[in-house]
Amino acid sequence: QVQLVESGGGTVQPGGSLRLSCSASGIIDSINTMGWSRQAPGKQRESVAPITRAANTNYADFVKDRFTISRDNAKNTVYLQMNNLLPEDTAVYYCYADVPVPGSAWYDYWGEGTQVTVSS
């Protein structure tokens, strides 16, 4: 089992910044990719950015040059630095961790989410 706890959400004005953190605990040695997704009311959950253990990333177009994902493997923590936030960034942000399973598949563990609200 892997447990994920997000923190750092809140309310910020357009153009402001927030830094989200997600700490993993439990059976964590097998965690490979971690990342962030978000979901706004009435919309599908969408990927923000993944990051592999080797720190390879793949940002969604809507956050490129504004958000930065990073991880500290020693602390079992992934971060999302969000700059120049826009009202359309308002969503619940979820952290996930991918664990390999037999058959070349992956199982995703998810955190409970943290609310990010961008409003003037």
Side-chain angles (χ1 to χ4, degrees), residues 18-21 36 48 67-69 78-82 93:
L18 286 172
R19 186 174 187 252
L20 307 183
S21 298
W36 295 91
V48 175
F67 293 8
T68 302
I69 189 170
V78 63
Y79 306 94
L80 185 68
Q81 178 66 47
M82 305 185 294
Y93 284 70

Side-chain angles (χ1 to χ4, degrees), residues 5-18:
V5 179
E6 303 103 330
S7 63
T11 301
V12 67
Q13 293 183 339
S17 298
L18 286 172

Side-chain angles (χ1 to χ4, degrees), residues 3-118:
Q3 295 81 45
L4 301 170
V5 179
E6 303 103 330
S7 63
T11 301
V12 67
Q13 293 183 339
S17 298
L18 286 172
R19 186 174 187 252
L20 307 183
S21 298
C22 174
S23 296
S25 61
I27 305 174
I28 59 176
D29 287 349
S30 61
I31 293 176
N32 199 312
T33 298
M34 299 182 71
W36 295 91
S37 294
R38 70 186 189 184
Q39 187 168 25
K43 291 193 171 184
Q44 291 183 285
R45 188 173 298 190
E46 60 186 354
S47 174
V48 175
I51 182 167
T52 68
R53 181 170 289 274
N56 298 119
T57 60
N58 186 21
Y59 293 98
D61 286 342
F62 57 79
V63 301
K64 285 182 178 178
D65 302 318
R66 297 192 299 122
F67 293 8
T68 302
I69 189 170
S70 60
R71 67 189 290 172
D72 186 334
N73 292 328
K75 295 181 178 180
N76 304 307
T77 300
V78 63
Y79 306 94
L80 185 68
Q81 178 66 47
M82 305 185 294
N83 298 325
N84 194 25
L85 283 160
L86 303 169
E88 49 263 48
D89 294 319
T90 296
V92 178
Y93 284 70
Y94 297 92
C95 173
Y96 67 88
D98 290 344
V99 176
V101 297
S104 299
W106 301 87
Y107 182 83
D108 290 343
Y109 290 91
W110 292 89
E112 294 292 330
T114 184
Q115 177 70 49
V116 171
T117 302
V118 184

